[in-house]
Amino acid sequence: MSFGGIEAGGTRWNCAVGGDGPQPERVETFPTTTPAETIGRAVEFFAAVPDLEALGLGLFGPVDVRRDSARWGTITTTPKPGWRDVDVVGPLAEALGVPIALDTDVNAAAIGEWRHGAAQGLDTFVYVTVGTGIGGGAFANGRPVHGLLHPEIGHMLIPHDRVRDPFDGCCPYHGDCLEGLASGTAMRERWGRPAEEIDDSAAWDLEAEHLAHGLANLVLTLSAERIVLGGGVGRSPGLVERVRARLPETLAGYVDVPQLSTEVDTYLVPPALGEHSGVIGALDLARTAC
Ligand code: ZN
């Protein structure tokens, strides 16, 4: 028996087939282009799996994840051209004829880390990914947080000192929200080159400061027991260490626990599954769909 999982991000889709164990047996990655082409490639990949039992879909958003909604599985207000109001679950279900379990791409990554990685045994934690954009999957009381739709951690509003950082921010909705100030897109627009080519210490200090503001809000609102920081930019060498140094001072000792002072090294951690948290979590989702 085989399960399928898709980490369907706004930049690329990772499609995976797995069996009983957590690790995928086969993964195919392709860029997120038009909906028809991207969904078509996923259908092609899974149609060739003879004994596919179910599919787990971790989808970029905002997406309607309410199971009883008529728009379940439809992407809503994304700024990504061509993807607004696109039904993703419908065509996959029709073409593949298997049950589908849906969550956000970042909740799928959180599920992966919770079952097999850095968040095992925790009830309340957050997985934050900093890449082209910023997103986060939150768990509270042992379950992914949903609600109106789902949390949009990347679009938190944070303090912005325009004297030290005159960059207006790049979020098409909010300008200088967290994603607008600290995503890979923001770094590229502010400094004129991609994050992986930036070696200026002041640039990374500013990045760490913005992220620490965002993460402090997660500590304060969710009382997260741990924060996992992933994504292409989030895993940049030295960044986790810089944010660890900033986070306790941002909170100013108000949350008086060792995790936010002497034990911050085990509080803010990189994903144990590296870049595979999302696809491993999507396979876990599939196992809940049957
Ligand atoms: Zn925003």
Side-chain angles (χ1 to χ4, degrees), residues 154-157 170-180:
H155 296 269
M156 272 189 289
L157 304 176
C170 66
C171 175
Y173 283 85
H174 318 112
D176 60 353
C177 64
L178 179 62
E179 176 171 298

Side-chain angles (χ1 to χ4, degrees), residues 6-85:
I6 313 179
E7 181 188 24
T11 308
R12 70 186 71 83
W13 282 27
N14 296 313
C15 294
V17 178
D20 292 333
Q23 292 296 332
E25 289 161 4
R26 200 157 53 86
V27 181
E28 186 172 299
T29 299
F30 45 84
T32 313
T33 56
T34 63
E37 182 180 37
T38 313
I39 296 168
R41 287 187 75 164
V43 166
E44 203 178 308
F45 176 82
F46 290 110
V49 179
D51 54 350
L52 190 69
E53 196 75 17
L55 184 68
L57 175 63
L59 183 57
F60 75 96
V63 52
D64 194 333
V65 290
R66 299 168 300 175
R67 191 65 185 83
D68 56 354
S69 163
R71 281 160 56 84
W72 180 65
T74 298
I75 291 176
T76 62
T77 48
T78 181
K80 191 172 174 58
W83 284 86
R84 194 180 169 124
D85 298 321

Side-chain angles (χ1 to χ4, degrees), residues 19-287:
D20 292 333
Q23 292 296 332
E25 289 161 4
R26 200 157 53 86
V27 181
E28 186 172 299
T29 299
F30 45 84
T32 313
T33 56
T34 63
E37 182 180 37
T38 313
I39 296 168
R41 287 187 75 164
V43 166
E44 203 178 308
F45 176 82
F46 290 110
V49 179
D51 54 350
L52 190 69
E53 196 75 17
L55 184 68
L57 175 63
L59 183 57
F60 75 96
V63 52
D64 194 333
V65 290
R66 299 168 300 175
R67 191 65 185 83
D68 56 354
S69 163
R71 281 160 56 84
W72 180 65
T74 298
I75 291 176
T76 62
T77 48
T78 181
K80 191 172 174 58
W83 284 86
R84 194 180 169 124
D85 298 321
V86 168
D87 176 11
V88 178
V89 165
L92 286 171
E94 194 176 322
L96 298 172
V98 295
I100 294 180
L102 168 74
D103 213 320
T104 61
D105 53 350
V106 283
N107 269 348
I111 290 168
E113 290 294 326
W114 180 65
R115 285 204 177 277
H116 316 286
Q120 287 180 66
L122 300 181
D123 282 339
T124 300
F125 73 96
V126 188
Y127 170 91
V128 177
T129 175
V130 184
T132 310
I134 296 182
F139 260 61
N141 305 320
R143 299 171 61 173
V145 174
H146 293 146
L148 273 178
L149 287 174
H150 48 79
E152 282 286 358
I153 284 163
H155 296 269
M156 272 189 289
L157 304 176
I158 59 168
H160 179 200
D161 180 347
R162 285 181 179 270
V163 176
R164 280 189 308 112
D165 179 23
F167 179 61
D168 285 336
C170 66
C171 175
Y173 283 85
H174 318 112
D176 60 353
C177 64
L178 179 62
E179 176 171 298
L181 290 173
S183 62
T185 306
M187 291 192 83
R188 197 183 61 232
E189 288 187 15
R190 183 193 286 108
W191 305 108
R193 53 197 191 281
E196 60 267 26
E197 290 174 18
I198 297 171
D199 52 10
D200 176 2
S201 183
W204 287 105
D205 272 343
L206 182 66
E207 177 69 5
E209 178 182 328
H210 288 321
L211 290 176
H213 281 136
L215 301 191
N217 288 335
L218 297 176
V219 173
L220 296 168
T221 54
L222 278 168
S223 205
E225 297 168 278
R226 186 170 296 151
I227 298 174
V228 182
L229 183 63
V233 175
R235 292 193 309 273
S236 301
L239 181 61
V240 163
E241 290 78 1
R242 284 179 199 266
V243 183
R244 279 177 188 151
R246 288 275 181 174
L247 186 58
E249 72 186 55
T250 303
L251 289 161
Y254 186 70
V255 182
D256 187 13
V257 291
Q259 290 92 328
L260 290 162
S261 56
T262 54
E263 295 173 15
V264 73
D265 289 4
T266 56
Y267 182 78
L268 177 65
V269 298
L273 306 176
E275 15 175 350
H276 307 297
S277 327
V279 85
I280 290 174
L283 285 171
D284 285 326
L285 269 176
R287 295 187 185 94

